[in-house]
Amino acid sequence: MQRLEHLEHLDKHLVDELAQVARETVRDELREQTRKQRRKAALYAASGAVALYAGAAVALAAGLALALVLPDWAAALITAVVLGALALALRNAARPTPARAAVPGQRHVPSGGTAASGGGAAPGGTAVSGGRTVPVPPMPSVPPATGAVPLRRPNEGNGPEAR
């Protein structure tokens, strides 16, 4: 009987030791992966900062080149307009196109378009909400049946006027 208790204690000790080794191995692997990802993120951030400065230098050079043939204010204005147009083009390139964003069988309402109600949604189409295209359920083709419950007005049925 003592021998079985001794083996039971060894089994429990072995399971605890195995669990501890597994935890340490997983922890070490995660630490190594995190270290690599942290280094990669720092390199991407540095790359972005250097690219920003390079873009500023190119914009400055373009502005100075224009300033040779135009007044300084006009060169600065033209450079700013070109950079603004480039920023707008890049933003629009990052947004999904209506063909990719829309659900098949639904039409797209552009952000400037409105439905008959004056809102940003079209029946059975899509709505533009905060720059995102959101699908809208289709309108029923027939009006509700005549047995439908009418909506109450605030002063009907509950106040002293209804009695």
Side-chain angles (χ1 to χ4, degrees), residues 50-70:
V50 170
L52 181 68
Y53 282 111
V58 168
L60 179 64
L64 290 174
L66 282 174
L68 293 175
V69 294
L70 296 172

Side-chain angles (χ1 to χ4, degrees), residues 36-130:
K36 287 178 183 177
Q37 289 176 351
R38 192 179 313 141
R39 184 172 186 275
K40 188 186 293 186
L43 289 173
Y44 274 122
S47 164
V50 170
L52 181 68
Y53 282 111
V58 168
L60 179 64
L64 290 174
L66 282 174
L68 293 175
V69 294
L70 296 172
D72 292 343
W73 65 269
L77 184 63
I78 291 172
T79 304
V81 168
V82 168
L83 288 175
L86 180 64
L88 183 65
L90 289 173
R91 186 194 72 180
N92 288 340
R95 286 186 176 173
T97 61
R100 286 187 287 177
V103 178
Q106 292 185 344
R107 61 187 173 102
H108 173 72
V109 175
S111 59
T114 58
S117 63
T126 55
V128 177
S129 169

Side-chain angles (χ1 to χ4, degrees), residues 3 5-7 21-22 28 36 42 45 56 61 74-75 98 101 113 118 125 133 138 141 161:
R3 186 176 180 143
E5 289 176 4
H6 179 67
L7 289 177
V21 167
D28 290 342
K36 287 178 183 177
T133 304
S141 57
E161 306 88 31

Side-chain angles (χ1 to χ4, degrees), residues 17 87 112 122:
E17 190 174 331

